[in-house]
Amino acid sequence: MAKNYKIAVIAGDGIGPEVTSSAIEVLKKEADKYGFGLTFDERLFGGASIDAYGAPLTEETLEACKNSDAVLLGAVGGPKWDAVDPSIRPEKGLLNIRKGLGLYSNLRPALMFKELAEASPLKTQGEIDILIVRELTGGIYFGERGRKDSDEVLPDGTPKGVVAYDVEAYSVGEITRILRQGFTYAQGRNKKLTVVDKANVLESSRMWREITESLKPEYPDVAVDYLYVDNASMQLIARPASFDVIVTNNIFGDILSDEAGQITGSIGMLPSASLGAPGTPGMYEPVHGSAPDIAGTGKANPMATILSAAMLLRWSLGENEAADDIENAVKKVLADGFRTVDIAGNGEGVTVCTTAEITQKILERI
Ligand code: IPM
Ligand code: MG
């Protein structure tokens, strides 16, 4: 009997619904081609869920995601919800779903497509193919936070007043499991692992280094180096082609993955995967945000979400041929000169397409 998979779809806000519906069309075509079944369970999430239910992530949506084989996410947030209480902001929904599904490992490849090399601000630097492995359910994003009054006075006589704090705390367990992910991905790639931290200042970073040293003997084929995050942000620009796998904490991974994405010149092309324990549903989403300014204009580039769907097929469903097929179709579309406006450069020598048109071009190549 043909396999049948359940995909929870949480399209979210802004361009989220447009790009996820493109990805669903592509997934359906692959399911027909390779003979497996897909059931899509579409749920509200983020701002759309705040509007409907007063919360960015409802229990029902989380349950639907837990009961799926994989989750496809568009994007969340937008100016409409900037003023809502922090406890129910769309971003809070994102953090809650990551925590709720135990998605501690966030894979963000920064890959420069050769057809789009001109778009990279660093096009002279050679081939860029970096995998950022970001710890996703710990650290300062989930640490103790709050505000408290202080009677203390600063040395220059200024009263402190209210103190706001966010704590960066990491356990040995959390660090060990994400470092193991980093080592393992490096083994499957070019065998170079860069651990990014701030060990010259932060105690938690010192522990990341100690644990890395203790794991190293188990991965003798992997060359490890360490960079302080400030230096890493420079080196990514100075020598992007020399990086292979970067493993880092939640906040540094958030920042560096945006930088790495921009270096490739085409953030509209970058997919991501968030994974937890084996056998539990992974979540797949484009690296870009909800881009509310272009929502509904047909300018959104659906390829990051379509490539996220390819990651979903590969990592959660094991449908590797279908995953390869999507990636090849996207490459062909680029090679045939079709572009969405964000990657069209000055428009010379390429055909600029809307979201629906480029989706059609991809479907034709499946
Ligand atoms: C990301 C985003 C989120 C994060 C925000 C929206 C909470 O920037 O996925 O990188 O910081 O993790
Ligand atoms: Mg981010």
Side-chain angles (χ1 to χ4, degrees), residues 51-316:
D51 289 349
Y53 308 115
L57 174 68
T58 61
E59 231 6 87
E60 289 74 27
T61 295
L62 181 59
E63 276 309 306
C65 293
K66 281 185 183 164
N67 292 325
S68 68
D69 292 299
V71 182
L72 182 66
L73 167 63
V76 290
K80 184 174 173 201
W81 304 282
D82 274 351
V84 305
D85 186 87
S87 66
I88 60 155
R89 274 185 75 105
E91 290 84 350
K92 183 70 182 157
L94 192 54
L95 297 185
N96 286 349
I97 199 166
R98 288 171 179 169
K99 197 70 166 184
L101 296 175
L103 306 172
Y104 66 86
S105 175
N106 182 215
L107 308 180
R108 298 192 168 184
L111 180 72
M112 195 170 74
F113 288 81
K114 69 174 192 308
E115 291 83 1
L116 302 177
E118 277 303 307
S120 167
L122 304 175
K123 49 184 163 283
T124 53
Q125 296 281 357
E127 232 169 80
I128 300 171
D129 181 358
I130 307 169
L131 178 66
I132 298 190
V133 180
R134 169 188 177 193
E135 199 293 324
L136 202 60
T137 52
I140 196 166
Y141 286 29
F142 292 93
E144 204 190 317
R145 76 193 55 202
R147 296 188 189 200
K148 59 184 178 198
D149 288 319
S150 170
D151 299 330
E152 287 170 29
V153 174
L154 296 167
D156 69 351
T158 311
K160 277 192 171 175
V162 176
V163 179
Y165 58 94
D166 300 88
V167 176
E168 168 85 353
Y170 266 111
S171 63
V172 170
E174 288 171 309
I175 299 170
T176 305
R177 67 181 182 179
I178 195 69
L179 284 173
R180 285 196 184 282
Q181 296 278 312
F183 274 108
T184 306
Y185 290 117
Q187 280 184 322
R189 293 172 41 109
N190 290 324
K191 302 188 170 46
K192 280 193 330 201
L193 180 67
T194 303
V195 180
V196 172
D197 60 30
K198 189 70 187 174
N200 49 350
V201 179
L202 303 178
E203 188 57 29
S204 53
S205 289
R206 287 181 198 121
M207 200 158 87
W208 278 72
R209 285 203 183 194
E210 285 160 26
I211 298 171
T212 307
E213 284 302 307
S214 75
L215 293 176
K216 252 163 72 172
E218 291 181 48
Y219 305 89
D221 51 336
V222 176
V224 176
D225 66 343
Y226 300 96
L227 284 179
Y228 300 139
V229 63
D230 47 350
N231 188 21
S233 74
M234 286 202 301
Q235 300 305 326
L236 269 173
I237 290 175
R239 51 175 181 89
S242 72
F243 286 90
D244 181 18
V245 177
I246 292 176
V247 63
T248 189
N249 71 8
N250 203 338
I251 189 164
F252 298 159
D254 184 24
I255 298 166
L256 293 182
S257 61
D258 266 24
E259 183 186 357
Q262 184 58 45
I263 286 170
T264 67
S266 39
I267 193 153
M269 299 297 299
L270 300 178
S272 78
S274 303
L275 306 173
T280 62
M283 188 164 85
Y284 300 82
E285 60 181 298
V287 165
H288 63 69
S290 61
D293 51 320
I294 60 161
T297 64
K299 286 187 186 154
N301 181 349
M303 286 187 274
T305 313
I306 289 169
L307 292 168
S308 300
M311 286 184 103
L312 181 158
L313 289 173
R314 182 173 294 116
W315 294 95
S316 281

Side-chain angles (χ1 to χ4, degrees), residues 26-49:
V26 169
L27 282 169
K28 282 183 176 158
K29 184 120 193 216
E30 293 294 354
D32 286 347
K33 179 166 173 184
Y34 289 95
F36 54 88
L38 291 176
T39 310
F40 296 95
D41 184 4
E42 300 194 29
R43 303 279 171 158
L44 293 182
F45 181 59
S49 176

